[in-house]
Amino acid sequence: MCGIVGYVGDRDATPVLVNALRKLEYRGYDSAGIAVIGPEGLVVRKAKGALRRLEELIATETIRGSCGIGHTRWATHGEPSDVNSHPHTDVSGRIAVVHNGIIENHAKLRAWLEGRGVAFRSQTDTEVIAHLVDHHYEGDLLKAVVAVMGRIEGSYALAVVCEDEPGKIVAVRKDSPLVVGLGKAENLIASDVPALLEYTREVVYLEDKEIAVLTRDRVDFFDGAGERLSKKPSHVDWDVAAAEKGGFEHFMLKEIHEQPKALTDTFRARVDGDGKVNLSEIGLDESWARARRVVITACGTAWHAGVVAKYAFERIARIPVDVDIASEFRYRSPLFDPSDIFIIISQSGETADTLAAMRMARSSGARVIAITNVVGSTLAREADLVMYTWAGPEIAVASTKAFTTQLMCVYLIAIRLAALRGALADADAARLVGELSRLPDSARAILDRQAEIQRFASQSFNKSKAFFMGRLFDYAISLESALKLKEISYTHSEAFAAGELKHGPIALVDDSTLVVAICTQRELFDKMDSNIKEVKARGATVLVVTFDGESYFDATADAVFRVPEAPGELTPILSVIPCQLYAYYCAIQRGLDPDKPRNLAKSVTVE
Ligand code: M6R
């Protein structure tokens, strides 16, 4: 998730921009840059790596000018590099743009601009914006930005400056945050409040498609058509630490709440206007349809995404799937077929065991699709095809939004592969895509009810053990939910396929046991109900996760949490959310910091 800052006022812009960018470092980034307008015209400096590298770059010069924009980039289109860093400029170098978000129609726009003789310098989607602003610029930056908004699709927060209008910043947002800071003889813009707090506590939050035009003495607001708006400032009374978490108490809770937006970002750029999955961006073509088997390897939460993927690929694309923990896979003697498709899943793209499994697969001649969140990670660089989850940086050790966006990628690949293999009728594919498009809103509806989970956690957090059980897709989510609970609340928790209950686990059930029964597979409700009765008879407290309006388990369960209805194969994206929240609130009840669980690291780069 990139960070945007902008400054216009009496001070030198450069130190203000660098200082403000530092306050946005928590968002994660891989490069940084600034553009300042001064007596020398527009000066752009940018560098791959930490902000320190940008500071070293500009340490030996004086960049004069009191109006500028800055950016920390979290790569999406194009690897982290100096040239792909923001700001991006038009051909003449008089217009500079910083951007947060994804321009979905950038390929079309790029082709159109190239057809008009524009030579691109970077691989980014953002560069099209700089050239488009130039194309529409007729002496009024606001009008040019309004025209560009009519041409770009996707999510964006933008700040734009132009040498011909020094002392002015035009900023706009759609689906990506942007806040205006109102100062005395200075005004600022930033992706998030922490970057502003050293200069002002009076802020205006931009809503979608609202534009702010900042000069030293005033800020004017406009709607997407360029009509003037009046906006009321708010006073910020949070401290900086709270502000970095967007008002949430912990990064984990913030990231849980970011899931609707992250799911939308993952989905939207891969589905055409006619509702068809289009994975041309990652290169998944007919040649991949000849595979006889899919093999999935990963670790931890990413492996749980692989377990969901096994069920999803077999059901949707009718192709056999093996799923394996990467650390097991690399030391057993796996059998390879050159036609195998390997799917390697990793949030960080740097997990040692996962990379080793990927390298084994490649050296056997198999082709590898990586699903990862980190652009330019080792996994992304070494795999044959890469599908980015575009969840934005995940800071909490416990993986949440990375998991649900991994699942979104899995479903999109499964539907596309099914189409290539002739395994799914067009109408069924369209129905599934329609259902996927509804999941972000359904996730939002679950989050709106988090108080119910919080209440249940306050009543049950001190249980000495917790079992999660389910069947099919609900079994996969039981695995993930048990991991979430154990890693941040240190509750002894296990997951099992509900059909296994009688084969051993029931021996452990007593009145100190919490059982969370995930029940979203309608055809197996009666089996789950029997399992619930069996654990209830041994004294367990039972929480059921099932659908809105469903009363099947009301008589047996102690508590029921409901999620919006979805087809059985797609429910994992929804049913995991109450379990993430449950783990979070149990950790809080136990007085633990969920962002920093003991003995765990965010990225496991050693064996
Ligand atoms: O970066 P990766 O997805 O490869 O990481 C894999 C696991 O280390 C990770 O999912 C871990 O299990 C998380 N802490 C789970 O919340």
Side-chain angles (χ1 to χ4, degrees), residues 17-305:
L17 295 174
V18 172
N19 185 34
L21 286 177
R22 192 167 304 295
K23 300 292 187 318
L24 298 182
E25 280 189 300
Y26 74 92
R27 297 163 71 87
Y29 68 104
D30 47 53
S31 57
I34 55 168
V36 174
I37 301 178
E40 284 81 31
L42 181 72
V43 176
V44 177
R45 296 289 181 268
K46 50 192 193 173
K48 177 185 164 184
L51 199 50
R52 189 172 21 85
R53 285 220 44 232
L54 176 68
E55 288 178 290
E56 284 162 11
L57 185 71
I58 59 179
T60 52
E61 62 179 333
T62 306
I63 302 175
R64 293 189 296 156
S66 54
C67 172
I69 53 179
H71 191 261
T72 44
R73 174 175 188 248
W74 166 265
T76 57
H77 294 69
E79 59 180 12
S81 67
D82 290 351
V83 75
N84 286 336
S85 312
H86 298 211
H88 289 282
T89 54
D90 68 321
V91 174
S92 68
R94 74 188 205 290
I95 292 166
V97 174
V98 290
H99 166 222
N100 177 8
I102 293 164
I103 302 302
E104 289 163 9
N105 58 339
H106 73 98
K108 261 192 211 149
L109 292 169
R110 189 180 182 112
W112 183 83
L113 286 159
E114 282 173 339
R116 304 179 77 87
V118 173
F120 277 75
R121 289 170 289 236
S122 76
Q123 303 158 301
T124 64
D125 53 340
T126 303
E127 194 181 336
V128 298
I129 302 171
H131 298 305
L132 281 176
V133 173
D134 172 45
H135 176 78
H136 289 282
Y137 188 71
E138 290 173 355
D140 184 335
L141 192 56
L142 171 63
K143 276 196 181 145
V145 169
V146 170
V148 171
M149 286 168 68
R151 301 196 56 182
I152 54 178
E153 291 163 17
S155 59
Y156 50 85
L158 297 174
V160 188
V161 289
C162 176
E163 211 176 75
D164 299 356
E165 295 177 67
K168 182 187 281 185
I169 302 171
V170 177
V172 58
R173 67 153 276 181
K174 179 178 166 276
D175 297 335
S176 278
L178 214 45
V179 193
V180 176
L182 305 173
K184 290 198 176 67
E186 60 184 2
N187 289 301
L188 300 97
I189 190 100
S191 300
D192 205 352
V193 170
L196 304 174
L197 290 183
E198 199 173 317
Y199 307 97
T200 180
R201 286 183 169 267
E202 301 307 310
V203 303
V204 177
Y205 295 94
L206 288 186
E207 301 297 333
D208 271 358
K209 294 204 169 177
E210 288 183 350
I211 306 169
V213 178
L214 291 79
T215 56
R216 172 189 179 273
D217 297 313
R218 54 185 295 142
V219 181
D220 295 301
F221 297 96
F222 300 88
D223 67 12
E227 297 298 322
R228 201 170 276 278
L229 289 174
S230 78
K231 301 270 299 173
K232 277 213 178 90
S234 320
H235 181 77
V236 178
D237 47 18
W238 320 329
D239 62 16
V240 174
E244 281 180 357
K245 293 170 192 148
F248 289 97
E249 209 176 329
H250 296 97
F251 282 112
M252 182 180 175
L253 191 59
K254 176 171 180 267
E255 287 159 8
I256 289 173
H257 278 262
E258 282 171 349
Q259 289 178 110
K261 158 95 169 61
L263 287 164
T264 303
D265 285 346
T266 312
F267 170 86
R268 209 164 46 184
R270 278 73 183 244
V271 175
D272 286 339
D274 60 1
K276 287 215 170 78
V277 176
N278 180 345
L279 297 186
S280 54
E281 153 230 3
I282 69 162
L284 191 78
D285 58 24
E286 286 71 17
S287 68
W288 293 79
R290 290 191 287 273
R292 282 193 289 272
R293 178 177 74 145
V294 173
V295 183
I296 301 172
T297 62
C299 298
T301 287
W303 173 63
H304 299 151

Side-chain angles (χ1 to χ4, degrees), residues 298-303 345-351 354 397-400 406 480 483-484 487 600-604:
C299 298
T301 287
W303 173 63
I345 309 175
S346 172
Q347 187 284 134
S348 62
E350 302 293 349
T351 301
T354 306
V397 168
S399 193
T400 54
Q406 284 162 359
E480 171 58 8
L483 174 65
K484 281 293 87 82
E487 71 179 326
L600 294 174
K602 180 66 184 161
S603 187
V604 185

Side-chain angles (χ1 to χ4, degrees), residues 408-469:
M408 183 60 90
C409 289
V410 158
Y411 292 125
L412 292 169
I413 296 175
I415 293 169
R416 180 68 191 132
L417 207 56
L420 290 171
R421 292 167 60 81
L424 195 65
D426 285 354
D428 291 330
R431 181 187 56 81
L432 275 178
V433 171
E435 295 288 354
L436 279 178
S437 73
R438 277 185 270 284
L439 294 180
D441 279 344
S442 299
R444 207 167 279 118
I446 296 169
L447 294 167
D448 287 345
R449 292 184 230 150
Q450 73 173 14
E452 290 174 43
I453 287 290
Q454 187 174 8
R455 201 172 317 116
F456 185 73
S458 71
Q459 293 155 6
S460 59
F461 71 94
N462 54 3
K463 293 279 178 194
S464 61
K465 51 186 183 278
F467 294 147
F468 291 78
M469 65 177 184

